[in-house]
Amino acid sequence: MKKSYEQFSARRELLDKQYDETYVQKQHKRGKLTAHERILLLFDEGTFEETDAYIPPAEASFGKTVKAFGDGVVTGFGRVNGRLVYAYSQDFNVLGGSLGSRHAAKIVKIQDMALKTGSPVVGLIDSGGARIQEGITGLNGYGDIFKRNVYSSGVIPQISVIMGPAAGGAVYSPALTDFIFMTADTSYMFVTGPNVVKEVLNETVSTEDLGGASVHSTKSGVADFVYSDDENTILGVKRLLSFLPLNNMENPPLIKSDDTAKRVEDQLRNIVPEDPDKPYDVKEIVELLVDNGDYMEVAENHASNIFTAFARMDGQVVGIVANQPKVMAGTLDIDSSIKGARFINICNSFNIPIITLEDVPGFLPGTDQEHDGIIRHGAKLLYAYTFASVPKITVILRKAYGGAYIVMNSKGIGGDFVFAWPTAEIAVMGPDGAIAILYRKELAESEDPVMLKKELTQKYREEVTNPYIADEKGFIDEVIDPAMTRSKIITSLKALDRKTEYRPKRKHGNMPL
Ligand code: HXC
C-alpha cells in the first residue's frame, strides 16, 4: 500500500509542479487568469471536481509535442449557486490552448455527462484553434464538439466565454451555444484573421477592430455580454446561470424577494410622453416593473432599438422584450428582429415566460432594409413569437402600428394576455400616413391644409387608434392603469402557471433563416 501511495503522490507532485509560479506568471502577464483560476472562480468554493487531469497531449508527427498533463484544457464539474454545472477551461499556456485529439475528447466527455445529467455546460475559451501538428485528428475533434453543441441545443443551457483567441472554424462551437460572453481587450473571435484579410482583400485591420469584444457586442451581435476582465466576466456567467433552469424539463429557479407583488407605481403614469413623437427610455419602465428594479440585459449595445433582458417578477424568472423609443424611435429593423427572435427562442427553450412592452411605429422603411432582407429577417421575430408556447403577456405602452403590432405578440399570433395603457394607439398605421393616403385629394384642395390635417389627426385618434376600441372588440384584454402594471403582469403569470399548448406533430418547423 505504501509503495502504491508513493507512486500516487509522485504523480500528484508532478502535476502541481506543472502549475508552478512561472506558469501562473506567464498567463498573468497577458492580463489573463490561468485556466484553473478561472474555473475555480466559476464554481462555489470547494465544489470543483477535475476530470482527466493527467491526460498528456497525443504524440504528433510534426514535432512540438510537449510533456504536459491535461492536454491544454481543464475539465470537470461543480456547483454554481449550489446547482450542478459542467465546465471546461482552455489553457493557453499549453500549446496555446490548441485543440488536439485528447483535448477534444476531454471536452466531449464533459458535454456527454452534462447532457446525460441535464446540466448546463460552460466553456471558457482561450485557444489557438485546431492543433496544427495533429492535423486531421485535432480537426475532427471540433466536429465531435459541434455535434454535441447541436444535440444539446434547447436541452441544456450552453454558455461560451471567450477569454483569449477564438479563431478559424473554432468560433463555431461558441456560435452554436446559447450565449457568448467576451472579456474586453483580451479576447477576439474571427473566422479569418488580420493576415488573411490583408492577403485576400489587401485590407489592414487590427485584431481588435476585426473581432474584438467591442465589435462583437455592437456591430455583429455575436457577443451577448462583455465585461472588463476575467473576474467580472465569470461573475456575469454566474449571474446569468441564476436565471436559467438546469435543463428544458425544469423551470428556472424561483427566488422570492422582499418586493411586493401588488406594488403600485404611480411614476408609471408619467413616463410615456403625451406627444407621441417624443422619445423616452423604456428601461425606466422595466426598472419599476421587475423585482427590486433588477434585470440582466442581453446584447445591450447591439440593435438597441429592441431591449431584451432577464428579470424576476414575484420571484419568477421572465424574459422581457421591449421596443426602445429612445433608439430609432423603437422601429423594428433587421438586427433588432434577429436579436428579438433569438432571445424569444431561448426563453421558449428554457420555460421562461415572455413579457413584451410595446411601443413600435413599424418596420424601418428603405432600400437598404428591403434589399438586405427585412422580409425574411422580420419573419424570424414573427415566427419566434408565434411558435413560443411559454406564457406570453403584452403591454402596449403607446404605438402599436401595422405589421409590427401583429409581430409584437398580439392576440392574433397567440399572446395570452394583451393589456394597453391609456396612451396606447393601435392602428394599421400612424395618423400622418393614414391621412396622407385617405385624404390626399381633400388636403390638396384645402385652403388651410395644416388646420385640416390637425383636425383629421384628432378625429383619427378618437375614432380609430384609441385603445378602448380594441378593448371593446376583444383584441386586447383590458386598458389598465399604468400604476397597476406590475400587479397585472404577476396575476396573469399565475393564471398561466400551468399553460400547455400543443402544436401539430412534425420533425421541426421551418423558421425563415
Ligand atoms: C499548435 C499552437 C497553435 C495551434 C498557437 N500555438 N496556436 N500550437 N496549434 N493552432 C502555440 C504556438 O506555437 C506557441 O507555442 C503558443 O501556442 C503560443 O502562441 P503564440 O503565437 O506565441 O501566441 P500569440 O502571439 O499570443 O498568438 C496567439 C495566436 C497565434 C494568435 C492564437 O498563435 C496563432 O495565430 N495561432 C494559430 C491560429 C490558427 O490559425 N489556428 C487554426 C484555426 S483553424 P510555443 O511553443 O512557442 O509557446 C481551426 C479549424 C477548426 O481551428 C476547424 C473547425 C471546423
Side-chain angles (χ1 to χ4, degrees), residues 26 30 64 66 92-99 127-133 139 142-143 146 165 167-170 172 188 190-191:
K26 207 170 155 192
R30 299 181 180 117
K64 285 272 177 190
V66 292
F92 194 79
N93 273 348
V94 178
L95 293 167
S98 59
L99 189 126
S127 169
R131 189 168 300 156
I132 299 162
Q133 56 271 46
L139 222 45
Y142 271 117
F146 297 164
Y172 285 112
Y188 51 90
F190 37 66
V191 175

Side-chain angles (χ1 to χ4, degrees), residues 306-309 319-323 340 343-344 354-357 385 408:
I306 205 162
F307 166 93
T308 49
I320 296 179
V321 181
N323 307 114
F343 182 74
I344 289 161
I354 299 158
I355 313 294
T356 301
L357 303 177
Y385 260 128
M408 294 298 293

Side-chain angles (χ1 to χ4, degrees), residues 8 72 199 201 317 491:
F8 172 83
E199 256 173 54
L201 299 165
V317 174
T491 310

Side-chain angles (χ1 to χ4, degrees), residues 266-285:
D266 292 341
Q267 284 184 72
L268 285 171
R269 297 194 187 117
N270 304 316
I271 295 177
V272 176
E274 283 287 318
D275 178 350
D277 295 329
K278 269 208 173 141
Y280 61 93
D281 187 352
V282 79
K283 293 186 199 182
E284 285 179 38
I285 294 176

Side-chain angles (χ1 to χ4, degrees), residues 251 316 348 351-354 384-393 409-411 413-417 492-503:
N251 287 326
Q316 181 176 359
N348 193 46
N351 310 318
I352 299 173
I354 299 158
Y385 260 128
T386 310
F387 189 75
S389 57
V390 288
K392 296 181 285 192
I393 299 165
N409 194 40
S410 58
K411 275 268 174 205
I413 64 165
D416 295 302
F417 283 103
S492 307
L493 283 170
K494 296 203 190 311
L496 294 166
D497 201 28
R498 273 170 291 135
K499 176 187 172 188
T500 315
E501 245 180 28
Y502 296 99
R503 302 274 183 268

Side-chain angles (χ1 to χ4, degrees), residues 9-27 30 34-37 50-57 65-75 89-97 103 106 131:
S9 305
R11 201 163 167 255
R12 181 75 235 179
E13 262 172 43
L14 271 179
L15 185 68
D16 289 345
K17 228 166 114 188
Q18 176 172 315
Y19 302 116
D20 63 8
E21 198 46 31
T22 323
Y23 162 94
V24 172
Q25 285 312 320
K26 207 170 155 192
Q27 180 77 339
R30 299 181 180 117
T34 67
H36 274 102
E37 285 170 335
E50 187 167 352
T51 55
D52 295 331
Y54 292 94
I55 287 185
T65 307
V66 292
K67 288 211 176 333
F69 291 120
D71 199 17
V73 64
V74 179
T75 53
S89 175
Q90 291 179 311
D91 185 349
F92 194 79
N93 273 348
V94 178
L95 293 167
H103 177 127
K106 283 179 69 173
R131 189 168 300 156

